[in-house]
Amino acid sequence: MAEERRGAWFGFGFCGFGQALGSGRGRQVHSPEPLRAPGAGLDVCRVSASWSYTAFVTRGGGRVELSGFAVGAAGGCRDAWASEELLVVLRAGPGPGAGTELQAWAPGSALRGEPLWAQTVPEAEREDGPVGDETQAGPLPLLPCARAYVSPRPPFYRPLAPTLRARRLELGAEHALLLDAAGQVFSWGGGRHGQLGHGTLEAEPEPRLLQALQGLTMTEVAAGGWHSLCVSEAGDIYIWGWNESGQLALPTKSLAEDVKTTAEASGLNEDGSEVKTVAGGEDGAPAPFIAVQPFPALLDLPLGSDAVKASCGSRHTAVVTRTGELYTWGWGKYGQLGHKDTTSLDRPCRVKYFVDKQLQVRTVSCGPWNTYVYAVEKEKS
């Protein structure tokens, strides 16, 4: 078996609170830079970013380090999940056979003293199959038992229906996405921006299957502030929700050039998407743009690239391809797209930094206004 190539983390975007993001100079980083992680030499395996701080989890001893508005460190941690309201960590329980303990901390506590609350959670119930089978639970906020998840707002511990065999769970600003063991996607929560994908703007109190994707096997889900994305096992991208900043890679009014506000109209496409038009075409014909896409829309990457990983920020989107390239689009005010500027885009654009440096991107993790990427050197041919 070939030895896994060691890689490095890179960061770009908003770092106004001193987050360890690239060089950390100023309030923003416009192009990927090697991560200036706290604790020199730490082998970071997971990054979870909130708006004002970032949590880094290391391999080996399982240490969590905080950087930004919240600072601090703790050992014995298997996973961490950062939000503005709570910092949640999974740690080994106190003593042999104690299982895993879920702890919720105030982000400003520096992980000192006593957590706001703690609860012992069972380990994942293994299915018949090899260790590491994809039916096992994913990272926080889904718990290791895959029967519950943690929310930044009360009730903090939320059980899932026994019929849902969860593989991954992602939380947006007002909604949740769940990928089950069979590759089906469920969504619930607020829906006023179409982020649930059910064709309406209504809220859903309980997990509801995305019927538009039924029959397709998904391998990845990502929840942005008010938009959603999933990746199929064939590498296809389906995306829906709010498109205010082009985060769906669909035409948007805010990015249109020479937009004229006269003769504005609105309506619905056949697929249910809300469409507005503005006069601005060369022949005087209206140019369409999409504000809300309440059904999943198929998105093609340039050059027919297949996606394998994805992450969503507040209003930006990042996708890793099978060949290790990174594409980003959406809101770019703080450089979170990695294109050396603060331009917003309503189309996927390849981040050239990793191509120029002969690096293959393995994973991406978006904070609300920034982006973290793990990449390895390309194999020498």
Side-chain angles (χ1 to χ4, degrees), residues 171-188:
L171 295 181
E174 299 174 341
H175 74 295
L177 291 180
L178 182 147
L179 177 69
D180 77 358
Q184 297 296 290
V185 179
F186 295 76
S187 66
W188 66 98

Side-chain angles (χ1 to χ4, degrees), residues 73-94:
C77 295
R78 292 173 46 180
D79 197 5
W81 180 68
S83 75
E84 286 301 294
E85 296 87 355
L86 287 178
L87 167 67
V88 180
V89 297
L90 279 175
R91 306 178 75 175

